[in-house]
Amino acid sequence: MNDDVVIESGLSSLGTEEASQHIAHVYCHEGECEVYYNDNRILFSAGDCMIVINNKLLDGVKPSDDFKCTAIYVRTSFLKVCSPGNNYFVRGIMTLFTNPVMRLLPEERERCRADFQNVAYRLRHTSHHFYLNALTVALQGLFLDFHDFHARIYGHADVPVQAASLLARFFALLEDGSCRTHRDVAYYASVLCVVPKHLSDTCYKLSGFSAIYWIKRFTLQEIKRLLRDKSLTVNQISEMMDFSSAAHFNRYVRQNLGITPMEYRR
């Protein structure tokens, strides 16, 4: 998956390394799928849409035999070019990190299907003299409708520019793997040039969760991802995650996952 925008039927690319630099926008046409995301089991059913912001929070999917969906993957760098000029996306990210699925009303389903068809149409017609502009506008329409669905479900609220920027930079640090070596709020506050209380307060106000919650959440997802790689020993993973000892790593995993690293691997 090397292109900025890729469309596929099904979820074969979701959670793969190839899609790690993309954000997935999915519409379910038929059936249902169990989505294991951020330590939650979420049902994704016909007429629902879903946005997967971060592959690292995805632990797997289990589709039904009759499950059918369309997924549009947009590279994050290209998404910044296409995103509408508002900060609502940041607020959406906060809730979508905990639950990526949105239940749509009948009229919203029609709109969502039309948006997906329009993006697919614009993506195919590369001979258009203003191809990139036409594709960008189609994507902006999709994004604005997703914002509208989200605002109906969670309520609309403007996000101050400074708060949006702070949270975006905080999550970028976590996504880039800083949690491997840094698991305290003070470090992130220092990098972001704010005091720890301001970072925590802003994070809680926009997401409903503390900064330490998100640090721990990304840390555990990274640990689970590494534990699934059987080519790495537990000691190697402990060192990669910068724990003082394998014993400390084992205690951390047991305290937060309820099982030992070796038990998780089984």
Side-chain angles (χ1 to χ4, degrees):
M1 184 178 291
N2 297 315
D3 296 330
D4 289 326
V5 182
V6 177
I7 299 180
E8 71 171 13
S9 297
L11 297 175
S12 59
S13 295
L14 195 65
T16 65
E17 182 63 30
E18 290 78 8
S20 62
Q21 299 302 313
H22 293 68
I23 292 180
H25 305 73
V26 192
Y27 180 79
C28 179
H29 300 284
E30 297 179 22
E32 62 185 26
C33 180
E34 294 179 3
V35 179
Y36 298 89
Y37 190 79
N38 198 14
D39 285 343
N40 294 312
R41 173 189 170 275
I42 302 165
L43 193 63
F44 180 45
S45 306
D48 294 344
C49 66
M50 176 172 67
I51 304 179
V52 178
I53 303 291
N54 191 292
N55 269 343
K56 292 182 179 179
L57 297 179
L58 184 73
D59 283 327
V61 295
K62 186 179 179 182
S64 62
D65 292 338
D66 60 343
F67 177 72
K68 293 182 181 179
C69 76
T70 300
I72 298 178
Y73 296 87
V74 184
R75 192 183 298 275
T76 52
S77 57
F78 188 64
L79 186 142
K80 293 175 183 177
V81 176
C82 301
S83 290
N86 61 55
N87 293 317
Y88 193 82
F89 182 69
V90 175
R91 184 170 185 267
I93 285 177
M94 298 300 106
T95 52
L96 293 171
F97 265 121
T98 54
N99 184 355
V101 174
M102 292 185 283
R103 316 285 180 202
L104 302 185
L105 301 175
E107 181 277 330
E108 293 171 336
R109 295 172 187 172
E110 291 297 323
R111 217 179 336 146
C112 193
R113 284 196 292 266
D115 286 334
F116 271 62
Q117 291 170 0
N118 190 32
V119 171
Y121 175 83
R122 292 301 180 184
L123 186 63
R124 288 195 305 269
H125 285 72
T126 55
S127 60
H128 194 292
H129 286 91
F130 305 95
Y131 172 73
L132 187 59
N133 300 84
L135 177 60
T136 298
V137 170
L139 285 167
Q140 286 179 342
L142 173 66
F143 298 155
L144 284 171
D145 277 335
F146 269 73
H147 290 187
D148 185 52
F149 306 152
H150 185 277
R152 192 263 304 166
I153 295 168
Y154 295 100
H156 179 72
D158 291 326
V159 179
V161 174
Q162 290 183 331
S165 175
L166 177 62
L167 264 293
R169 288 183 289 135
F170 174 54
F171 272 82
L173 290 171
L174 293 173
E175 291 171 358
D176 288 344
S178 292
C179 61
R180 282 193 176 196
T181 53
H182 300 284
R183 288 180 281 275
D184 59 292
V185 178
Y187 166 79
Y188 293 93
S190 175
V191 172
L192 297 169
C193 300
V194 297
V195 298
K197 185 177 187 305
H198 180 64
L199 176 59
S200 294
D201 288 349
T202 302
C203 195
Y204 191 83
K205 183 177 180 180
L206 293 189
S207 73
F209 295 94
S210 65
I212 195 64
Y213 166 88
W214 290 113
I215 294 169
K216 180 176 289 188
R217 180 60 56 206
F218 274 85
T219 299
L220 292 173
Q221 292 298 326
E222 181 67 2
I223 287 172
K224 289 191 287 186
R225 186 185 71 81
L226 292 172
L227 285 172
R228 288 194 290 266
D229 184 350
K230 299 299 179 65
S231 68
L232 298 172
T233 68
V234 171
N235 283 345
Q236 286 175 321
I237 296 171
S238 172
E239 293 175 0
M240 292 170 68
M241 295 298 299
D242 202 36
F243 282 87
S244 59
S245 65
H248 182 200
F249 175 68
N250 273 268
R251 285 196 301 274
Y252 184 89
V253 173
R254 179 182 283 277
Q255 287 171 359
N256 289 285
L257 297 182
I259 55 177
T260 67
M262 292 305 297
E263 288 171 337
Y264 179 85
R265 282 194 150 172
R266 299 192 194 109

